[in-house]
Amino acid sequence: MSNRMWGGRFASGPDAVMEEINASIGFDKRLYQQDIAGSIAHAKMLAEAGILTTEDRDAIIAGLATVRDEIAQGTFTFSRALEDIHMNIEARLKEIIGDAAGRLHTARSRNDQVATDFRLYVREATDMLGAQLRTLQSALIARAEEEAATVMPGFTHLQSAQPVTFGHHLLAYVEMFARDAGRFADARARMNESPLGSAALAGTSFPIDREMTAKELGFDRPTANSLDAVADRDFVLETLAAASITAMHLSRFSEELVIWSSAQFGFVRLSDKFSTGSSIMPQKRNPDAAELIRAKIGRIMGALTSLLVVMKGLPLAYSKDMQEDKEVAFDALDSLSLSLAAMTGMVGDLVVNRDNMRAAAGSGFSTATDIADWLVREANVPFRDAHHITGRVVALAEEKNCTLDGLNIEDLKTIDARIDSRIFNVLSVEKSVASRTSFGGTAPKNVLAQVKLWRERLKDAE
Ligand code: ARG
């Protein structure tokens, strides 16, 4: 049997393999709510424009509500022969309300329909991810406040560089996640135009009101070019690009958690809820959640790459290739949402080992820069010379196998007579971090000020 929806000129139905490769119902059933919302808006508009009677409109809207309930309750029977969510819903509508169902598809096409549905879906996803990012930021801010004065080694090249505060380190991620939320918001603003009524590609001869459907669906305005409207998937690409960058940030953070929770670092302990044991090595606590979040970037940026490749050679307007936009996007957005939830849980439950952090912060001559800065500030030594003098101080400590604040003043004076005992004021890691009060610096005081600022900003964003 040929397809009931478009089979007028076909003598026979599709080959089984054709049906399998062509069908999208297996994954686009996810769009049912958006599809029904779009159809209801369209039916209202058609009636308003005098294209549909009010009786037909009411029957269509009531019928669509029934279909929505059936799908939500799991009693709807999806058919692969009906290809996709659009035709599955329309066919069922016909069973429920009869011939009026056939009038719904006036002045539209599946091309503008799917573009509309998917925009609505991706728009919701960006809103949800934005909210999840804010929740994660709040969790980080709460921990940053607790750890505002906790000293840890700051690294460059993963070598101990200078002491920093753990609160400052956590707030670095708050900044990153703020940019991520901004990217989702930017993408949302650009995607918020309604393709509905662009029809197959050229617009329609019916006197439709695209402003009305746009408004009904919460779009800012209708898209201005029908060809672009049905051929465009930038809204998915931008969202996947934002998702990839977010996932990259989550992956870096996960990597740090994996390192910090190792026995060798021992900076943090992940809670039982977010780690697993080994079946043969009883001493192990594996940071599985962090590892899995670290890995999710693979499929998320894979989705971006995949869709860029799908789109890159397509002539205008719609091509069936574009049906390949959904599975990867669904998977990527689901993966990111799950990763954000898991990261938020881990941050909340994290047990910080302040003693280990402090001990590590004091090793590796991490306050050497403070000696050089002291020489510049207190003895008017040019920084380059101060750097050289400090290098000799470090070499001496190395030779004596002690920390910088373990050296005595006589030894220091033999290196440079301009050094006096006041230098001990900058040699401890606490003094070092407390002195970093430049804007954006790591001092506990700065951390608390930023925590306050962030709390206000997040409140404004609500
Ligand atoms: N299932 C299709 C998709 O996801 C809907 C649009 C089909 N349009 C068409 N002309 N065959 O892209």
Side-chain angles (χ1 to χ4, degrees):
M1 200 185 72
S2 68
N3 190 295
R4 270 195 290 157
M5 298 290 171
W6 47 251
R9 64 181 281 262
F10 288 80
S12 73
D15 187 88
V17 175
M18 175 57 194
E19 188 181 292
E20 186 172 351
I21 197 173
N22 198 35
S24 55
I25 189 62
F27 47 87
D28 68 12
K29 57 170 83 141
R30 269 220 208 196
L31 298 175
Y32 82 92
Q33 286 177 326
Q34 293 77 10
D35 195 70
I36 289 173
S39 289
I40 290 175
H42 188 64
K44 285 184 185 170
M45 182 280 292
L46 289 178
E48 201 65 28
I51 303 164
L52 191 68
T53 64
T54 51
E55 297 79 63
D56 284 347
R57 174 197 63 196
D58 294 346
I60 287 169
I61 293 175
L64 286 169
T66 306
V67 176
R68 179 161 47 201
D69 291 346
E70 288 177 357
I71 298 177
Q73 282 154 22
T75 57
F76 188 97
T77 315
F78 291 101
S79 153
R80 198 174 75 177
L82 288 166
E83 282 183 39
D84 57 26
I85 188 62
H86 324 294
M87 295 203 291
N88 269 268
I89 289 175
E90 196 186 315
R92 178 71 187 126
L93 184 65
K94 184 155 193 241
E95 285 173 6
I96 301 171
I97 69 164
D99 286 342
R103 300 190 186 279
L104 174 61
H105 212 53
T106 314
R108 75 171 187 190
S109 141
R110 277 190 291 156
N111 296 349
D112 58 337
Q113 203 179 345
V114 73
T116 305
D117 294 1
F118 205 24
R119 275 194 201 225
L120 290 172
Y121 183 93
V122 175
R123 189 179 74 183
E124 259 170 60
T126 58
D127 289 344
M128 192 185 72
L129 293 168
Q132 283 191 284
L133 279 165
R134 280 194 292 281
T135 308
L136 174 54
Q137 286 181 300
S138 297
L140 287 164
I141 290 162
R143 300 310 304 259
E145 185 171 42
E146 292 166 15
E147 308 299 337
T150 305
V151 183
M152 71 181 286
F155 301 94
T156 58
H157 317 266
L158 197 57
Q159 309 286 318
S160 278
Q162 292 173 358
V164 295
T165 53
F166 188 42
H168 193 57
H169 197 117
L170 294 173
L171 289 182
Y173 284 99
V174 172
E175 297 286 335
M176 295 181 230
F177 295 134
R179 292 194 294 273
D180 293 331
R183 275 181 277 272
F184 284 116
D186 289 348
R188 187 199 202 281
R190 255 186 308 280
M191 84 174 72
N192 205 30
E193 295 185 343
S194 173
L196 194 58
S198 299
L201 76 165
T204 174
S205 56
F206 290 97
I208 59 171
D209 182 351
R210 294 193 57 213
E211 293 282 349
M212 180 181 164
T213 43
K215 198 161 165 228
E216 183 82 20
L217 295 168
F219 288 114
D220 295 328
R221 63 193 83 84
T223 52
N225 182 297
S226 61
L227 287 169
D228 176 46
V230 296
D232 168 48
R233 291 295 180 270
D234 290 1
F235 61 97
V236 197
L237 290 166
E238 285 192 37
T239 302
L240 291 175
S244 298
I245 297 174
T246 308
M248 175 274 287
H249 290 151
L250 287 170
S251 183
R252 293 181 79 171
F253 194 16
S254 298
E255 169 66 3
E256 297 202 308
L257 291 173
V258 170
I259 294 173
W260 294 341
S261 64
S262 69
Q264 288 71 15
F265 270 71
F267 287 3
V268 301
R269 191 182 143 97
L270 299 173
S271 76
D272 292 353
K273 288 192 243 164
F274 289 96
S275 38
T276 62
S278 155
S279 51
I280 55 163
M281 296 167 283
Q283 83 283 10
K284 290 194 75 183
R285 288 172 70 78
N286 296 327
D288 296 43
E291 293 169 280
L292 288 163
I293 297 171
R294 187 174 59 186
K296 294 287 185 202
I297 173 80
R299 46 212 279 189
I300 296 170
M301 69 163 280
L304 172 63
T305 308
S306 163
L307 187 55
L308 281 169
V309 174
V310 166
M311 297 303 293
K312 69 167 269 298
L314 299 185
L316 303 189
Y318 178 86
S319 298
K320 197 58 171 272
D321 310 51
M322 290 163 69
Q323 180 166 287
E324 290 290 314
D325 59 356
K326 286 172 215 61
E327 276 172 296
V328 289
F330 290 151
D331 179 71
L333 299 174
D334 288 349
S335 298
L336 183 58
S337 175
L338 184 59
S339 300
L340 286 166
M343 186 56 92
T344 304
M346 269 196 293
V347 167
D349 280 6
L350 204 65
V351 178
V352 179
N353 191 329
R354 293 178 183 161
D355 293 340
N356 283 354
M357 281 192 179
R358 166 139 202 339
S363 71
F365 311 115
S366 64
T367 54
T369 317
D370 297 277
I371 299 180
D373 288 349
W374 185 89
L375 286 163
V376 171
R377 206 171 47 239
E378 304 296 336
N380 200 26
V381 179
F383 184 79
R384 288 291 167 214
D385 299 343
H387 184 280
H388 186 78
I389 295 164
T390 307
R392 291 175 53 209
V393 173
V394 169
L396 180 68
E398 226 162 13
E399 192 187 302
K400 295 201 152 195
N401 197 19
C402 68
T403 59
L404 292 176
D405 55 358
L407 290 168
N408 60 48
I409 189 66
E410 288 72 38
D411 288 340
L412 288 169
K413 276 190 181 298
T414 61
I415 291 172
D416 196 290
R418 287 170 292 188
I419 298 178
D420 64 54
S421 60
R422 288 174 305 152
I423 200 165
F424 288 105
N425 290 335
V426 301
L427 288 184
S428 83
V429 290
E430 283 78 12
K431 297 254 168 55
S432 170
V433 295
S435 73
R436 298 275 191 285
T437 52
S438 58
F439 182 74
T442 194
K445 194 171 108 181
N446 288 22
V447 173
L448 292 174
Q450 285 293 318
V451 162
K452 194 159 164 260
L453 258 173
W454 271 115
R455 285 229 168 91
E456 281 159 21
R457 278 186 210 146
L458 288 181
K459 214 189 259 135
D460 291 344
E462 271 167 16

